[in-house]
Amino acid sequence: MNKVARPVFVVPAHPVLRLASLGLVTFIFTLFSLELTQLGALLAPLWFPTSVMMVAFYRHSRRMWPAIAVACTLGNVAASLVLFPLHELNLIYSGINIIEAVVGGLLLRKLLPHYNPLQNLHDWIRLAIGGALIPPLVGGLMVYLLVPDDNPLQSFIIWTLSEAIGALALVPLGLLFKPHYLLRHRDPRLLLETLLTLAVTLALSALSMIYMPWPYTCIIVLLMWSAVRLPRMEAFMIFLCTVMLVSLIMSDATLSQHVSVVYTVTNASWMPFVMILLPANVMTMVMYAFRAESKHIVESEERFRNAMEHSAIGMALVGTEGQWLQVNKSLCQFLGYSPDELREMTFQELTLAEDLDSDLNQRDSLLRGEINTYTMEKRYYTRQGEVVWALLAVSLVRNPDSTPLYFIAQIEDINELKKTEQVNQRLMERITLANEAGGVGIWEWDLKPNKISWDKRMFELYGIPSHVQPTWQIWESCLVEEDRENATRKVLNSLKSSAPLMLEFRVQLKGKIRHIRSLANRVLNKQGEVERLLGINIDMTEVKELNDALFQEKERLHITLDSIGEAVVCTDMNMNITFMNPVAEKMSGWTQQEALNKPLLSVFHISVGDHGALIDNFKTGDLCRSDIDDDLVLHSRHGGSFDIQYSITPLSTLNGENIGSVLVIQDVTESREMLRQLSYSASHDVLTHLANRASFESHLKRHLINIDNAQERHALVFIDLDRFKSVNDNAGHAAGDALLREISALMLSLLRKGDILARLGGDEFGLLLPECKEEDARDIAQRIVDGVDAYPFTWEGHAHHIGASAGITFIDRHNANLTDLLSQADMACYASKHNGRGRVTIYSAQPDAMPRVHNRFSQKE
């Protein structure tokens, strides 16, 4: 519900006094309107009371509407009793006025904004429709239907026009008036201008009505002059006063006799008021919109100029040719020039030559509309000839026709920042040079945003490209697997404790192990919490390798035992065991004490394959194997076995004398199983576990090689699923994959032992039927086609129906070319699909005999 701060006119805030004031205002306007009826018309040519009530309804809450209607009606009745006897009083007119006012109040509330109801010409048109057109028509229609009259059409016209003209004259003023508007008249200039304009307008209007041949034209000019000079409310007040004056002159018999034009409008007495009010109201709204827009532009420009002048960074308006149009104090201080001096120069004169081309190129792109703004760092010359750095941001202001007007440039002083960057860069270059010379990498880990920073040497240590952003996961992945858990635990413990981080670990780099020593200090924040770690990495590989070499030379058997996970066995020159590590003990089932001095082959039983013969000589070149493809098996003493590969290396003294050998046995059970799986995967389809195309063609080639017997004949069948794509499209690829697996199992169940089924790709299958007659091949293929066609496949509650088409060709000594066979089977399958699907077609070299189609609905042709 709309709420308003004050009623139509200045009245006390108390509701009773407010209603009394409304009744008094209605009384005055009713008395004025009734006085006009003394010309002899049945109804007043101007009627204001309905407009007073309408505005009151618009500006008050609906709970006050009944009281407003009563107060205004009492004022209306009281004015009528002053001029007319009681028996001539007709309360039907008062009721019609109330209904008009209610309709107008509701329409104005719906059509107009509350705070500022008349902001533009569109608002005034809505006011005219909702207040001066529809309500008067409603009232006139009610008079026509409810009030008996000799000439009801004339009563309808007079009522409608008098209400409409009264609304046009009074409603705009009533909607706009607010008590605080009176405060602006404390300015004597505005008050004097308003009063003088009112006096001049009324005086000249009266003279025009009496003495001018075309008085209404003069009055319109006067009101347009008022609309141009005065604000909205003052202009509408003058319009109302002028309309009332004109109506009085027209109603006064002593004055109207001088108005020659009155007699020419006897049948259209409403026309002068419309001629007066419409142009003046329109001009008032146009002038208000113009003043509001001008005020907005002035305020925007003022705000922009104030913001520009008091900005902490340099700002300027720059012409399209580069001339400085306007500059602020910050820019003048930065460049050392006065505003007048800068306005006589261009930015090209002050820009360092090395930066000018880039600036001009971007400026041209901005002028062409390719970019909306650009930012760059550039250097300027100051008045003293010094070169200073600035961060420049430029945008373009265009005219309404999109032609360039001027640039807005923001020029921020970053000279000190650039100097600091240069100093820091030189310092970092020195530090980097020192670190590179010492092989030291520097790193920093900021915990709050979890960001890790490395210098150039760190990327080299870990073998990571310099454009990669280092993370904890990347660092962890570089570590040798055995060192990850220990390194991670020590880093996390360092974050919790107060001690610096000291850590050694290994990293894998291009097949080489690097030993890294990491040292770091914690940086704490004000709350004593660890904010970041700052540390260094030192490459200790050469030191470690030297220490390991020396230690291995002294303790090679223990180093072998502790450092590798393979079975290691040392023998003397007679191949008797002198040492076994724990892995060798576990794999052989012998302890070292039990195996000492025993022949190597009596402890380690190695065969070729699970059930092959044991090897009897490790010195034979053929048996000194290290290839994982060799199917060597080590049999444990306790019954277990391991797939192995081994290498045997002789041990010599410095003089080259043989003192024995070292046998290293590696458990490759998992690797060999993986190779078997890879071999299986290479020859089988992952989804259906059928043979794949390569395996299928390999089987075909073997059968083609063995086609020597003239009586031997094989069948090659191509099977293609029908409507499989619709299953994929409608139910998804998961449904398609499930369907392929189920159809593959179905087809396998329909084959003979020894038949080879393969998935050639997508929904295409190949079937090799060795030693198969034509009738048998056709029957097998037809069973598959019928089985697929009848297969009930349901996915997520939806049934899907597919089918299959098959093509057959036969392999014999006269038809044994692989490429031809594949093409023949494919052509026969295509013929099945082309001739209606769900068919079996046997390939024939004779065009007239191709295709021979068989399905469950037809017999062999």
Side-chain angles (χ1 to χ4, degrees), residues 573-575 617-624 648 658 661:
M573 56 186 307
N574 296 318
M575 300 299 291
N617 189 350
F618 280 95
K619 291 186 178 181
T620 304
D622 292 15
L623 297 177
C624 294
I648 186 167
N658 184 19
S661 59

Side-chain angles (χ1 to χ4, degrees), residues 337-576:
Y337 290 95
S338 67
D340 293 336
E341 290 174 329
L342 282 176
R343 279 192 287 268
E344 295 177 357
M345 306 174 70
T346 63
F347 78 84
Q348 292 93 327
E349 297 177 57
L350 300 179
T351 301
L352 190 69
E354 298 175 10
D355 300 339
L356 183 58
D357 288 342
S358 176
D359 194 2
L360 292 177
N361 289 337
Q362 296 195 67
R363 183 202 64 171
D364 293 341
S365 298
L366 190 59
L367 288 171
R368 290 191 298 269
E370 298 172 357
I371 58 176
N372 297 322
T373 183
Y374 70 88
T375 302
M376 63 176 295
E377 292 182 355
K378 62 177 292 188
R379 288 163 287 183
Y380 289 96
Y381 290 110
T382 66
R383 185 187 184 93
Q384 293 75 27
E386 180 184 359
V387 176
V388 291
W389 279 94
L391 178 62
L392 173 66
V394 181
S395 58
L396 178 61
V397 177
R398 296 181 180 273
N399 288 307
D401 61 355
S402 297
T403 57
L405 184 57
Y406 57 80
F407 298 101
I408 299 177
Q410 298 181 18
I411 303 170
E412 183 179 358
D413 181 4
I414 59 170
N415 197 51
E416 294 301 323
L417 177 63
K418 295 297 290 186
K419 290 181 179 178
T420 303
E421 287 181 357
Q422 292 173 356
V423 171
N424 291 339
Q425 182 179 0
R426 294 191 186 99
L427 180 60
M428 286 303 301
E429 288 173 354
R430 297 189 188 101
I431 294 174
T432 302
L433 182 60
N435 291 336
E436 290 178 352
V440 177
I442 300 176
W443 58 270
E444 182 178 0
W445 183 14
D446 199 341
L447 300 180
K448 199 66 175 180
N450 193 24
K451 182 179 180 181
I452 297 177
S453 301
W454 286 357
D455 70 349
K456 178 182 177 182
R457 178 56 179 163
M458 285 290 294
F459 287 100
E460 294 175 353
L461 285 176
Y462 289 87
I464 294 175
S466 58
H467 65 272
V468 176
Q469 172 62 42
T471 63
W472 172 273
Q473 291 76 17
I474 290 177
W475 172 78
E476 204 173 32
S477 66
C478 293
L479 270 60
V480 173
E481 186 174 357
E482 293 86 351
D483 296 348
R484 287 177 190 167
E485 182 179 354
N486 179 58
T488 301
R489 184 177 63 255
K490 285 190 175 182
V491 172
L492 296 179
N493 289 340
S494 175
L495 295 176
K496 299 176 183 178
S497 66
S498 58
L501 173 66
M502 299 183 64
L503 176 65
E504 290 191 6
F505 51 86
R506 293 168 294 168
V507 297
Q508 185 82 30
L509 180 61
K510 296 180 181 179
K512 181 180 179 181
I513 299 295
R514 274 187 175 172
H515 295 264
I516 304 297
R517 176 176 294 171
S518 182
L519 306 174
N521 285 328
R522 306 178 314 151
V523 179
L524 307 180
N525 57 21
K526 295 180 180 179
Q527 290 75 32
E529 301 171 343
V530 180
E531 186 177 68
R532 55 196 173 97
L533 290 178
L534 183 62
I536 61 172
N537 277 189
I538 305 173
D539 187 357
M540 303 292 294
T541 304
E542 293 183 1
V543 176
K544 281 288 185 181
E545 289 176 350
L546 179 59
N547 290 337
D548 289 345
L550 293 174
F551 190 69
Q552 184 179 11
E553 189 65 24
K554 296 172 58 179
E555 306 277 348
R556 60 179 178 273
L557 292 179
H558 294 289
I559 291 296
T560 302
L561 176 66
D562 295 337
S563 62
I564 62 175
E566 292 82 10
V568 179
V569 182
C570 296
T571 67
D572 58 18
M573 56 186 307
N574 296 318
M575 300 299 291
N576 295 322

Side-chain angles (χ1 to χ4, degrees), residues 719-723 739 743 746-747 750 781-793 800-805 836-839 855-857:
I719 303 167
D720 195 352
L721 300 184
D722 299 329
R723 296 180 296 278
L739 176 59
I743 293 299
L746 171 66
M747 290 191 288
L750 301 175
Q782 190 65 53
R783 285 203 306 271
I784 291 175
V785 169
D786 293 341
V788 172
D789 185 71
Y791 185 77
F793 178 72
H800 298 275
H801 179 70
I802 66 167
S805 300
R837 302 180 177 178
R839 302 169 182 267
N855 60 28
R856 54 187 174 184
F857 304 109

Side-chain angles (χ1 to χ4, degrees), residues 482-754:
E482 293 86 351
D483 296 348
R484 287 177 190 167
E485 182 179 354
N486 179 58
T488 301
R489 184 177 63 255
K490 285 190 175 182
V491 172
L492 296 179
N493 289 340
S494 175
L495 295 176
K496 299 176 183 178
S497 66
S498 58
L501 173 66
M502 299 183 64
L503 176 65
E504 290 191 6
F505 51 86
R506 293 168 294 168
V507 297
Q508 185 82 30
L509 180 61
K510 296 180 181 179
K512 181 180 179 181
I513 299 295
R514 274 187 175 172
H515 295 264
I516 304 297
R517 176 176 294 171
S518 182
L519 306 174
N521 285 328
R522 306 178 314 151
V523 179
L524 307 180
N525 57 21
K526 295 180 180 179
Q527 290 75 32
E529 301 171 343
V530 180
E531 186 177 68
R532 55 196 173 97
L533 290 178
L534 183 62
I536 61 172
N537 277 189
I538 305 173
D539 187 357
M540 303 292 294
T541 304
E542 293 183 1
V543 176
K544 281 288 185 181
E545 289 176 350
L546 179 59
N547 290 337
D548 289 345
L550 293 174
F551 190 69
Q552 184 179 11
E553 189 65 24
K554 296 172 58 179
E555 306 277 348
R556 60 179 178 273
L557 292 179
H558 294 289
I559 291 296
T560 302
L561 176 66
D562 295 337
S563 62
I564 62 175
E566 292 82 10
V568 179
V569 182
C570 296
T571 67
D572 58 18
M573 56 186 307
N574 296 318
M575 300 299 291
N576 295 322
I577 296 174
T578 60
F579 171 80
M580 288 173 55
N581 71 349
V583 177
E585 292 178 340
K586 178 181 177 181
M587 294 179 70
S588 66
W590 293 71
T591 65
Q592 181 174 259
Q593 293 299 324
E594 293 173 339
L596 283 177
N597 298 319
K598 291 186 180 298
L600 179 63
L601 292 175
S602 65
V603 175
F604 290 86
H605 302 96
I606 300 175
S607 64
V608 179
D610 281 333
H611 306 291
L614 298 176
I615 63 175
D616 58 359
N617 189 350
F618 280 95
K619 291 186 178 181
T620 304
D622 292 15
L623 297 177
C624 294
R625 309 184 183 202
S626 60
D627 192 344
I628 196 170
D629 293 330
D630 293 335
D631 195 12
L632 299 180
V633 179
L634 170 63
H635 301 273
S636 173
R637 182 183 185 186
H638 303 301
S641 63
F642 303 88
D643 290 332
I644 66 166
Q645 65 180 16
Y646 71 84
S647 62
I648 186 167
T649 306
L651 290 176
S652 303
T653 63
L654 294 175
N655 299 324
E657 182 182 352
N658 184 19
I659 59 174
S661 59
V662 175
L663 175 66
V664 179
I665 302 175
Q666 185 177 4
D667 182 2
V668 294
T669 304
E670 292 183 3
S671 301
R672 196 161 287 160
E673 179 62 26
M674 186 178 298
L675 283 176
R676 296 188 187 102
Q677 293 177 1
L678 290 175
S679 176
Y680 178 87
S681 299
S683 61
H684 288 77
D685 178 55
V686 176
L687 180 63
T688 61
H689 300 292
L690 300 176
N692 58 18
R693 178 181 286 273
S695 176
F696 186 70
E697 292 181 0
S698 177
H699 283 292
L700 273 176
K701 290 177 182 177
R702 286 198 296 272
H703 281 78
L704 293 178
I705 293 173
N706 297 324
I707 293 289
D708 293 326
N709 188 351
Q711 304 300 321
E712 188 174 1
R713 198 179 194 201
H714 313 308
L716 173 63
V717 185
F718 269 20
I719 303 167
D720 195 352
L721 300 184
D722 299 329
R723 296 180 296 278
F724 175 75
K725 185 176 184 298
S726 66
V727 177
N728 259 348
D729 293 342
N730 298 327
H733 290 286
D737 292 346
L739 176 59
L740 287 174
R741 287 192 291 268
E742 294 180 22
I743 293 299
S744 299
L746 171 66
M747 290 191 288
L748 283 174
S749 68
L750 301 175
L751 300 180
R752 308 171 306 172
K753 184 178 181 180

